Amino acid sequence: MKSLHHKFRLLLISITYLSIYKSINRLKLILSYLFSLLGIQKKQNIYPLFVSVEITNYCNLHCPECPVGSSKFSRSGKNTFDSSLYKKLIDELKPTLEHIILYFQGEPFLNNQFHELIKYAHNSRIYTSTSTNGQFLNEKTAKEIVQSGLDKIIISIDGSTQQVYEMYRVGGDLQKAIDGINYLNEWKKKLDSITPFVEIQFLVLKTNEHQLKDMQKLAKSLHVDRLTFKTAQLYNFENGNDLLTTISRYARYKKTNNGTYIHNGKQPNHCWRLWSGAVINVYGEVLPCCFDKASEYSFGNILEHSFLSCWQSKMAFGFRNKIIKNRKQFDMCRNCTE
């Protein structure tokens, strides 16, 4: 992995995005959250620290537990986020927004304006990140990404061999993802850039749990900044699932005495994510968080209203209050790790 000096330099870069307005907003947001938990706040005039934007709603792979790849939720065609609407959103939020995640469900590299969207946010002094399957990271796109100013990229690699990798990343080519990381490293060196921060994300499943050490060796050979082993969100887990890992450390679910499975987390009746950030899907709907895969709890649409009028609406206020009273009343919350 990279040296501590390298990571410290990256931390300094993220700090350069801060401003007095963003710092004040963060403080107000924390106070709003605490007052809401105490039941003494009647209105939430809050501004998010981050937003996730779904810049495309379709993917080239068919991962079995992904709503897009498995077609779990119906999607009306292949769509990309409108670039003019995106710029309007950035212009509205840039005084206080700290971080924009250019990803929700689809594969972001399928948006042919991807690097331009990154650049617009970067030039607006907003920290940028994304997540990808790495299948479109070639020499050309890698150069564009480094030049765009992207701060962090997560590349999903769920196996150290093609045979294991394609068990989950159905239709994917492991070598393409590996080559993409090498292209990123080459262009970072050529352009004398320490960004983007490159992270490999490995979903720990029954099919790949035997490759954890091999994955560590692969990540080290690729000189990535970080390797993360992540628990997998499964939709049909109550009666077991063939993908459930046997390694308790990475198991999101545990078996009960009657043989069924339940979520392994505590899930208290509060959620910082609902105050600190939001998701905007490809159609412009403002959603509470990334677990609302089916867009069931829209706070409004930025095609019709400003983002803040949606984010500070009665519907948003009511949803946050319901979470504080009984978070488990929502299906999406019962499968959450936060």
Side-chain angles (χ1 to χ4, degrees):
M1 302 301 169
K2 299 295 183 182
S3 66
L4 288 176
H5 176 67
H6 184 101
K7 292 179 180 179
F8 180 68
R9 286 178 64 196
L10 189 60
L11 176 63
L12 289 179
I13 286 179
S14 65
I15 291 175
T16 62
Y17 287 108
L18 295 178
S19 68
I20 186 64
Y21 295 107
K22 293 178 181 179
S23 299
I24 292 173
N25 179 62
R26 177 176 280 269
L27 177 60
K28 289 171 67 177
L29 194 59
I30 293 171
L31 292 175
S32 171
Y33 182 58
L34 294 175
F35 289 158
S36 295
L37 294 182
L38 294 172
I40 58 177
Q41 179 163 301
K42 302 301 180 183
K43 191 176 181 182
Q44 294 160 340
N45 290 322
I46 56 177
Y47 300 77
L49 302 180
F50 74 90
V51 293
S52 297
V53 179
E54 185 178 39
I55 62 171
T56 185
N57 71 338
Y58 59 103
C59 187
N60 56 307
L61 301 187
H62 303 283
C63 306
E65 290 295 323
C66 172
V68 173
S70 64
S71 301
K72 181 177 176 61
F73 303 127
S74 61
R75 313 282 281 185
S76 56
K78 297 179 178 180
N79 298 286
T80 56
F81 202 90
D82 181 79
S83 60
S84 60
L85 185 64
Y86 173 85
K87 291 178 180 179
K88 180 182 176 182
L89 174 71
I90 295 296
D91 292 343
E92 179 185 359
L93 294 181
K94 66 182 180 182
T96 55
L97 193 67
E98 297 180 12
H99 181 191
I100 184 165
I101 304 167
L102 292 156
Y103 170 77
F104 175 33
Q105 295 194 81
E107 167 53 48
F109 276 85
L110 288 171
N111 187 317
N112 58 20
Q113 294 182 303
F114 185 34
H115 66 284
E116 292 297 333
L117 300 180
I118 297 168
K119 190 180 297 183
Y120 193 82
H122 175 76
N123 291 339
S124 298
R125 306 303 303 152
I126 301 170
Y127 184 95
T128 56
S129 68
T130 194
S131 180
T132 175
N133 57 42
Q135 298 298 289
F136 299 100
L137 268 173
N138 52 42
E139 187 169 10
K140 177 178 180 293
T141 57
K143 180 181 180 181
E144 290 173 343
I145 287 300
V146 176
Q147 290 178 323
S148 72
L150 182 70
D151 293 290
K152 180 180 178 180
I153 185 169
I154 297 172
I155 302 169
S156 296
I157 300 181
D158 306 316
S160 60
T161 61
Q162 177 63 26
Q163 182 182 10
V164 172
Y165 171 83
E166 66 185 358
M167 287 182 181
Y168 189 76
R169 299 289 161 183
V170 180
D173 184 335
L174 173 61
Q175 192 59 49
K176 282 186 177 180
I178 290 173
D179 290 343
I181 292 172
N182 286 328
Y183 283 130
L184 280 174
N185 287 335
E186 288 175 13
W187 278 111
K188 284 168 67 175
K189 186 175 181 180
K190 288 178 181 178
L191 298 173
D192 193 25
S193 173
I194 66 166
T195 57
F197 184 94
V198 180
E199 176 179 333
I200 289 178
Q201 182 173 278
F202 184 101
L203 284 179
V204 182
L205 307 163
K206 180 69 177 294
T207 54
N208 64 14
E209 60 186 18
H210 62 288
Q211 291 193 334
L212 299 188
K213 289 185 178 179
D214 291 335
M215 198 64 216
Q216 289 173 329
K217 292 177 182 178
L218 177 60
K220 186 175 182 180
S221 70
L222 292 172
H223 306 289
V224 297
D225 297 289
R226 180 184 296 158
L227 167 64
T228 301
F229 293 124
K230 187 179 179 183
T231 65
Q233 178 186 0
L234 306 175
Y235 285 94
N236 297 311
F237 63 86
E238 290 85 356
N239 296 311
N241 188 303
D242 290 340
L243 293 173
L244 278 169
T245 179
T246 62
I247 304 175
S248 58
R249 179 181 178 183
Y250 301 111
R252 191 177 294 202
Y253 314 99
K254 61 182 178 181
K255 197 172 186 178
T256 63
N257 293 331
N258 64 10
T260 60
Y261 289 81
I262 60 173
H263 197 282
N264 207 17
K266 295 181 179 179
Q267 298 179 307
N269 289 327
H270 58 81
C271 181
W272 168 244
R273 184 183 291 184
L274 288 181
W275 272 256
S276 59
V279 170
I280 301 102
N281 71 14
V282 74
Y283 308 110
E285 293 178 283
V286 178
L287 309 176
C289 77
C290 62
F291 277 84
D292 188 7
K293 307 292 187 184
S295 301
E296 295 181 82
Y297 306 104
S298 174
F299 296 158
N301 195 303
I302 61 172
L303 284 168
E304 303 166 356
H305 310 283
S306 70
F307 170 85
L308 289 176
S309 65
C310 298
W311 185 234
Q312 298 173 354
S313 66
K314 289 183 179 179
M315 188 175 295
F317 179 75
F319 187 87
R320 295 186 189 103
N321 277 344
K322 288 178 182 178
I323 291 292
I324 292 173
K325 292 177 181 177
N326 179 18
R327 180 180 175 184
K328 291 185 178 181
Q329 66 182 289
F330 299 104
D331 286 340
M332 69 175 194
C333 296
R334 291 196 293 270
N335 207 358
C336 179
T337 54
E338 294 297 317

